[in-house]
Amino acid sequence: SNAISSMSMQARSKPLPWLEAPPALDGKMEGDVGFDPLWVSSMLPDAGWIKFLRESELKHGRVAMLAATGAIVQDIFTFPGVEKVIGAAKMTGAHDKYLSLEIGGSKVATMHQMLLWIGLLEILTAPAIVQTFKGETSRAPGDFGFDPLGFSKNAAAASTYRLKEVKNGRLAMIGVGGMVHHYLLTGKGPLQFLGGIPNYKSCVAHDVGPIANYLMKPVGTILPKMC
C-alpha cells in the first residue's frame, strides 16, 4: 500500500497525465513539458546528456527550418543558371543530380563546397558543445552568441524566443519529412504538390520507381478517381 500511495503522490506528465513525469526532465528548459513516454532521459548516466540531446534537437530543428524554407522557395523562385545545370530537379533530386555531375568529372563542385563549409562549421563549434556536455561551462545548449539583432537583451523576451525556436524547429522536422516523402513519390515540391490536389495523378512529375509505384497501388484501389 505504501508503494501505491508513493506512486500516486509522484508528479504526473503534463502531455500524458496517465504516466508519471520523467524525473530527469524538470521543465527548466523551454519546450520541456515532460514528454518522454519511453523514459529515455532517465536512462542517461548524467545531466550532461540532457544538454547534449537539447543541443542536438536545436541543431536539427534549425537545419529543418532552413530546409523547409528552401523547399518552398524552390517552387517560387530559381536562381539564374540553375536549370542549365540540373534542369527542373529539386530537393533530393537536386542532390542526386549534383552528385552525379561531380562523380562524372564535371567542374561543378557544389557538394564538395557544402561538405567543406559545413565541416568547418562543425569543427569550430565542437569545443563549445563538448564543454557544455561535460558541464565545464554555463553555456546554454544551442547558444553560440549569435544575436546580431539583440533579441536576448530582455530575459523574458529571450525565453519566449527560445520556446518559439524549439516549437518551430520540431514542426519543421516533421514538415520536412513530409515534403521529402512527397517529392520521392511525386517528383514535385510542396507547393506544386498541394496545387495538384485532389487530382493526385496530375501531381506525379516523373517515374517514381518500382517501390513507390508498389506503395501507391492501394491508393488507386481505394480512391480510383485520384489515381
Side-chain angles (χ1 to χ4, degrees):
S1 61
N2 290 336
I4 295 175
S5 61
S6 176
M7 290 177 61
S8 62
M9 292 176 63
Q10 290 187 5
R12 314 304 292 181
S13 172
K14 290 183 179 179
L16 303 172
W18 58 89
L19 296 177
E20 295 177 11
L25 300 179
D26 53 15
K28 293 181 180 179
M29 292 188 297
E30 289 81 1
D32 175 13
V33 294
F35 181 79
D36 186 12
L38 300 180
W39 277 47
V40 174
S41 59
S42 299
M43 301 178 190
L44 304 176
D46 55 60
W49 282 91
I50 299 292
K51 293 183 178 180
F52 181 77
L53 293 178
R54 169 47 64 94
E55 187 88 38
S56 300
E57 180 182 35
L58 287 172
K59 178 177 288 187
H60 283 83
R62 290 166 179 172
V63 171
M65 285 188 280
L66 291 172
T69 303
I72 294 172
V73 170
Q74 283 180 323
D75 284 349
I76 302 173
F77 174 78
T78 303
F79 285 103
V82 172
E83 292 186 353
K84 294 181 180 180
V85 181
I86 61 173
K90 300 177 181 180
M91 300 181 70
T92 57
H95 166 274
D96 296 343
K97 185 65 176 178
Y98 280 124
L99 197 60
S100 65
L101 288 172
E102 295 189 26
I103 294 175
S106 172
K107 295 182 179 180
V108 175
T110 303
M111 305 304 293
H112 284 80
Q113 289 188 56
M114 290 178 63
L115 180 61
L116 170 65
W117 294 113
I118 294 176
L120 181 61
L121 181 63
E122 291 289 337
I123 292 173
L124 293 175
T125 57
I129 297 174
V130 172
Q131 290 177 347
T132 301
F133 178 70
K134 293 183 177 181
E136 298 174 352
T137 176
S138 59
R139 167 187 173 271
D143 182 9
F144 294 98
F146 181 76
D147 185 18
L149 299 180
F151 286 132
S152 61
K153 291 182 178 180
N154 183 287
S159 179
T160 301
Y161 285 126
R162 285 193 294 268
L163 177 60
K164 290 180 178 179
E165 180 183 33
V166 171
K167 287 186 174 181
N168 283 281
R170 291 169 178 171
L171 180 61
M173 286 188 278
I174 297 173
V176 167
M179 294 177 189
V180 170
H181 281 80
H182 283 163
Y183 182 82
L184 292 174
L185 290 173
T186 68
K188 290 196 173 184
L191 296 185
Q192 288 179 313
F193 177 81
L194 292 174
I197 295 174
N199 188 359
Y200 181 80
K201 191 172 183 179
S202 70
C203 290
V204 180
H206 67 261
D207 182 11
V208 294
I211 297 178
N213 282 326
Y214 177 79
L215 295 174
M216 290 165 62
K217 280 184 178 180
V219 181
T221 303
I222 299 171
L223 300 172
K225 292 183 179 180
M226 293 180 65
C227 298

